[in-house]
């Protein structure tokens, strides 16, 4: 069957175009897909990295005969002007900053498995990133107000909220692939039932509701059949021992650090009667430490190894340089990201449904309007339209809502420079709250000091 | 390409199964489609008519080799028990009742082009139908709480609201095809541009927002291109003279009565900068008489001819009897209704998007939560999920909201038997309001008297 | 009993300090009261008038030995800086402008009894006044952000809304005495029952809900007894013939023009089962012309006589000049206004409850949040706090809400300079709607032209 | 000055009329006041206790020449029929039940200073009391739908919510005196400033916002002056050492157990910039244990001594019996309760403002509608009308809202018998959450078992 090709060339502005992760994946997917003619403008403060990606991207296009060209933009304005799409994938701080986000709380007895979403690390990371995203939002208002904008930067909820706070008419969504993990398990269950490898995760339609990295699924349909009851049974069966489709390769350091055994997912499913749909490391951070973080080894997941992140980053950079210098390109394969499908749908290709982060307009009942929630949305020529997703169970809703409200209040406090509201909000996080208000105040002071070089003066920083 | 067939047989309970219109269309579409194995249970107070339809339906199935069987249910409970789908298509009163709905207001100087949605006729029709639908809703709660329920009965907004008022967890939607009229025009414009018959109305994706029979479209996309600006240009060009794709056949009495020249549609588009998407006869009734109804001939549309309706009904019944008795069946063609596509999507077939009536959960911004609105919804294994549709222009929103709020208040007043609230609500309709409160009170009294045989005693009737 | 005196001198900035009506009443009430030491700064574009009032005010203070001084402020900023209270009583346009507001609609068949609140006259008056009030609101934000602000200018709802739109934290309320008219009737009924002149209108506590000039009362308590049932009986009894406590003096032109016979009030009470609480001339304008305006003579009230207004204004100015020149002052009597009581309460005197106009924060259930509503509020050292007032009957709520939403939408459209939204909003007014959209468009064009010298260019004016 | 006397005798139904605390105080206050002629009907399951109170009440009336009579009602219906006022002051369980509410959590490491509001004790107490209050609400709907209903029973928020859930039109409020504690301190500060005992707590008007036992005050006015800044200064000054107007009498066991040194109040004031207005023992329970409960001795407050409660109850009963038998009555003094003032205002006496618990209709911005909040309300012939109170600081609002939402969800879950929702709600309490989900589940099981004799079967009990 011939693939449907979008007829006219689209322009994509990539903010953070020197990225070693997301940009690489997008370039690969565009090369794999070959039906979306595009001009990609890479913009990055690190011009060398942007140039390197432009070179690699061009090589990938050539190799797969895709009508995708890559240029480097000199300025944000140059990248944005007349863009059809904008991708935002920046790093709010270096790995040193991330290290501080983890190590300072550690000294106060707070364990973080990721540290970039909620908890003390996520909070302070949001503090430094919100002004950056707000600035990008204002540039988009000025130079590309009709562009579709995909944010890939964490903390996703707060930063998508910052874009909307800066430019309420922005056509932005926050994109994250964590829910894919649950879809893989359901596909495995469906295949087990039919006795063969028939379904991929792409055949699993899930009804998503919650907030980024703390998402839930109350229906998971494969071929008209709802597998949620089967999943809940499976969770009960494997709750104690955990389960993975394939064992962790002990030689693979990445897997050792970042893969899990679904024990947190299964435990949450048993407690709340709904499937949790993100990696265990992410889920654990939204709940008091006594739930999972204190026993992370028993629950089979690790804490963020900034040291490994450093080595991994160096290795990725080394490989990118090698490719730039002429080394063989990796084979072009499709990633699990939805980005290219979303772009094509918006450009007039086949409609596409995936879970994204958007301000709540009612799609999650019981959550306040305006907070950023994650649900399915439909991408089509009509735009990005969230689908009504229903409501979370009562006890869980209380936990989710509290995080969403704190994220929203944090965005407002940062943008309105209400410094005095920050500590009370910080204090109300369930990872922070148990250490008591005095410790929390001291810890907050240290964290703000450590990241001060990226914080505006009005919020206690040095900018 | 092979059609995707839904694997297991679904059960459809059809309330009003003796219907001469909707039932016939559904039976034809099921026969045409051939991919949805179904058992259809027809239930009707008029058992003879239900039996006749069962016979005709069975003949259609046979003729087209569709796996669809028809039975007649003896009771509502028998029809509903274990049904996967419920269709509601009843007549709230006879053509004599409808005649009174039109002729009494006529004597008070109020012209109605349809009389079944808003205005005095729509109001009184709702008064007698709301208790009927509430009763059906309660039966569904008792016997088929998980069934998907499609309401086809007018007044659509009020009656869909009555179902939800009676059973808040009902999986119901209100189905109406009026928006198709606009999609046909846009398809014509798209074809004109490419210079050939390339697009059908099915290729036109529209973003629908409003309330039933007073719906609007702010985006109409064909192949990735938004034709709304082209449509607005066309409306400005043809505003005075009107336009139809094909001329009205003077020999066709139906066309003479019910077809229009899009003059109301074009006029509204010019005034509000958005496309109105229903037949002119429907649109006109939502606005004061001075706008269109007073000059309906100049605007090229007619007032409801109950007399023709009587002859038409008799003719349809005659034909049905003839088919039952062995006359040749009509050729099996696909209608423009979305019903079969919706059922298949819910049963695990390909996802389907169409505009339907649902309680507002936020899909139309600026409209109160809970009032019944019309927007696109996605039908899939995940259920019926409304898509966020945006907001109407300010001046228009005021008109739409007022109707929606009156419909909601009417449903509540009828179900809570608050008789004293009825006249003030009746009075607030823009067709009624100008005749003044005393005339309105007298007219309301006459209408209630005329339809009293179908009204509960607590609301001034004789039941 | 000794009067409680507020100890320290308060500063009152009076914007529109040359006023011949409101300023005179405030000066008289301050002189009568003698317990509120005040410095009153009069500011007016007409400096001569402000100076004249300062002179008269000083004479009144002297005569009654009140510690109130009057000065003339050279600029808005000078008046506002450090003010404790701000009074806003300006004229949005001259009597010529008002004349156009009335006469142009008259030519299109629209009768207006006042023309300054809703209907075409109120709408266009709001269009020119909203930017003025927004400017004052911004000056208050800059120079007196903590001041209590009393707005006396019509259209009250729209203009109080404009103050809040310009400065959301403003401590403003809109003040109007129309409800007093109902309290007088209830006092008369209470006195009739006890057989003596025991109660004044001040003894009647009413629960007010609605919007300015279209307010309603669902409880009217004198000495613990609710007289609403008695009032409704009285309204039914006097509905046809009307009633006044004292006959109209045929020699009194003011009375002939502005007094009514409560026929509209009684008629509304009978229709909706709740007491309408404003002058008949005001109430009539919120409903279609067929209700009362078409038969205003039969209903015993007159249409706005701009000609009389001109003579009355000249006469008031003549008297003011005479007083300035040394003519005898009028005797100092207490007016029926609540202003001084409100100021004293806010300054630490006894708490005070009266009906005022404020953005809805829930005090009127069923009305959207943020629209300006009229209910009781409590004035005390704690500030101005609206009292929860309950909900209007369903049919009436629909009418009230529609006006409130139009006012709110108008304020937003004017301040955001969305010119295209104005005509659709204008069209949706029940006095305008029946003349049809073409007439309405023409009439709107003429009215905007006539008042163009006071309208910003962006809205079709010449400023 | 002559006291204003309410003219006609009112009927008060007292549910829980054998009470040793509240009933005694009300009887004393009625005797002290002497201006409210009343017939008080005492109803109690413990008829002996009700009879004893009737005897004591009659003696008090006689002694002070108050027109108040006391009878014992045989049934709830007999007590309620035609009552003007209803007082509800029941015990949801015995001291043994309360003992279990405290001791079981203690074994899991959870300290509770009161245990009747939030935390595990408050939760389980609510579970058994909600059905009782709902039953009383339904009886009121049947027999006294127009009566004003004062609830004195804890947990106040949940139980006031239960009354409204059972009968949405109930005229009920929840009454609590904790805020008085802050008003005493402010009076002390005001007296210190003027250098004499001039002001009593009754002269302090406070703006209250929050939920019962976790209330806050953002304005505290004495004679027109806001003392909140002075209070915050004082809190900062005394934060470490604490402060009391008078030292605790070491011989007074009650004081030793229940009095505090305002250290929690002062600490919260410093952290959030707003005054906390309840006893320290109450405030502490709304926050994680690490804040105050873990160091309750350092913070100068005690944990609930059920043992003392037992001795105190026995002593009170002994004294009541003695009075019944003829012992000397205590001198009639005015308590600090607002009840009699509220009743008189509702009966037509002078208006009265005090802080009460009511469903949120907007009086606390930022809190969801419908949750029970505590703010000022005005009592008058117009009824009980909450006053708009504003909004809490962002970080604090998050904590308060979470408790309010849990209380509301708990009421719904209990009344709708959704047993599975209880544990997740229990788990989300900040005192419970840190012990982890497994411990929480076990603890909940034990507590439900212990109180099972008062719990409906559908919720895991034995009724």
């Amino acid at each position: 069957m011939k693939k449907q090709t979008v007829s006219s060339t689209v322009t994509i502005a990539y903010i953070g175009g020197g990225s070693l992760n997301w940009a690489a994946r997008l370039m690969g997917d565009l090369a794999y897909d070959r039906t979306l003619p595009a001009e990609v403008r890479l913009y990055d403060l690190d011009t060398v990295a942007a140039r390197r990606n432009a070179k690699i991207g061009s090589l990938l296009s050539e190799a797969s005969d895709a009508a995708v060209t890559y240029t480097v933009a000199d300025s944000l304005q140059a990248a944005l002007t007349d863009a059809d799409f904008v991708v935002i994938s920046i790093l709010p701080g270096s790995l040193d900053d991330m290290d501080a986000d983890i190590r300072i709380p550690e000294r106060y007895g707070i364990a973080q498995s990721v540290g970039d979403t909620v908890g003390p690390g996520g909070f302070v990371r949001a503090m430094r990133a919100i002004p950056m995203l707000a600035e990008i939002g204002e540039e988009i208002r000025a130079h590309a107000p009709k562009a579709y904008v995909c944010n890939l930067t964490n903390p996703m909820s707060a930063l998508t909220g910052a874009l909307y706070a800066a430019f309420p008419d922005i056509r932005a969504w926050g994109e994250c692939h964590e829910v894919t993990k649950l879809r893989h398990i359901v596909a495995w269950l469906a295949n087990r039932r039919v006795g063969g490898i028939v379904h991929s995760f792409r055949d699993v339609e899930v009804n998503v509701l919650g907030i980024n990295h703390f998402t839930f699924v109350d229906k998971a349909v494969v071929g008209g059949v709802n597998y949620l009851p089967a999943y809940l049974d499976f969770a009960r069966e494997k709750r104690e021992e955990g389960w993975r489709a394939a064992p962790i390769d002990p030689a693979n350091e990445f897997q050792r650090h970042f893969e899990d055994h679904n024990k947190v997912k299964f435990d949450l499913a048993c407690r709340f009667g709904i499937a949790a749909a993100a990696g265990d490391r992410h889920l654990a951070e939204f709940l008091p430490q006594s739930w999972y973080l204190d026993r992370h080894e028993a629950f089979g997941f690790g804490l963020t190894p900034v040291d490994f992140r450093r080595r991994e980053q160096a290795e990725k950079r080394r490989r990118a340089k090698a490719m730039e210098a002429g080394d063989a390109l990796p084979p072009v394969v499709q990633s699990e990201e939805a980005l290219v499908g979303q772009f094509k749908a918006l450009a007039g290709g086949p409609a596409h449904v995936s879970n994204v982060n958007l301000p709540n307009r009612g799609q999650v009942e019981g959550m306040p309007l305006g907070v950023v929630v994650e649900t399915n949305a439909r991408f089509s020529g009509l735009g990005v339209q969230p689908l009504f997703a229903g409501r979370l169970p009562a006890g869980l809703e209380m936990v989710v809502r509290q995080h969403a409200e704190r994220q929203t209040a944090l965005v407002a406090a940062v943008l309105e420079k209400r410094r005095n509201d920050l500590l009370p909000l910080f204090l109300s996080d369930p990872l922070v709250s148990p250490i008591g208000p005095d410790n929390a105040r001291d810890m907050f002071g240290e964290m703000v000091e450590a990241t001060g070089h990226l914080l505006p003066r009005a919020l206690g920083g040095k900018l």
Side-chain angles (χ1 to χ4, degrees), chain A residues 347-358:
Chain A
H352 174 98
V353 169
S354 53
N355 54 297
V356 296
N357 294 275
L358 287 169

Side-chain angles (χ1 to χ4, degrees), chain A residues 155-165 172-174 209-212 214 286 356-375 386-387 390 392 397-412 425:
Chain A
M156 180 58 76
S157 309
L159 300 189
T160 303
L163 288 172
Y164 275 91
W173 72 96
L209 68 177
I211 54 174
N212 186 246
F214 200 51
F286 290 82
V356 296
N357 294 275
L358 287 169
N360 191 26
R361 303 181 181 284
Q363 63 264 43
V364 184
E365 213 183 327
M367 297 284 280
L369 295 183
V371 306
V372 173
V373 292
E374 186 163 331
T375 67
L387 282 145
L392 288 163
E397 181 183 285
M398 192 126 344
V399 181
V400 177
R401 189 165 41 197
Q402 200 204 133
H403 283 290
E405 289 177 342
R406 183 169 29 256
Q407 289 161 342
T408 305
L410 172 57
V411 171
L425 289 172

Side-chain angles (χ1 to χ4, degrees), chain A residues 89-158:
Chain A
S89 140
I90 64 171
L91 279 181
S94 65
L95 286 176
D96 284 351
D97 293 306
M98 195 168 179
D99 197 37
D101 293 347
I102 304 292
R103 274 187 310 125
I104 298 171
E106 208 175 52
R107 272 197 278 106
Y108 286 84
I110 299 178
Q112 294 179 89
S113 37
V114 187
D116 73 350
T117 310
V118 289
F123 193 94
V124 169
R125 185 185 179 96
M127 279 175 61
R128 56 181 185 255
I130 287 165
M132 301 177 190
L133 272 281
E135 195 195 323
I136 294 174
E138 273 153 27
E139 292 292 317
I140 289 170
R141 182 208 293 265
H143 304 299
K146 298 288 181 196
Y148 288 107
V149 178
C150 175
N151 175 42
L152 294 163
T153 317
N154 282 327
M156 180 58 76
S157 309

Side-chain angles (χ1 to χ4, degrees), chain A residues 440-461:
Chain A
R441 182 200 52 217
D442 296 347
M443 180 173 79
F444 188 61
E446 286 186 50
M447 294 181 78
V448 166
E449 172 67 24
T451 203
H453 61 110
L454 287 172
L455 270 191
R457 198 172 290 273
L459 299 177

Side-chain angles (χ1 to χ4, degrees), chain A residues 2 31 36 49 51 83-84 88 117 119 154-155 158 176 197-198 211 233 253 261 288 292 325 342 352 382 395 413 452:
Chain A
K2 202 183 159 302
L36 184 68
R51 241 179 255 137
D84 299 303
I88 306 173
T117 310
N154 282 327
C176 173
I197 306 291
V198 177
I211 54 174
D233 286 344
E253 190 180 356
H261 298 75
Y292 303 115
Q342 292 167 345
H352 174 98
L382 300 177

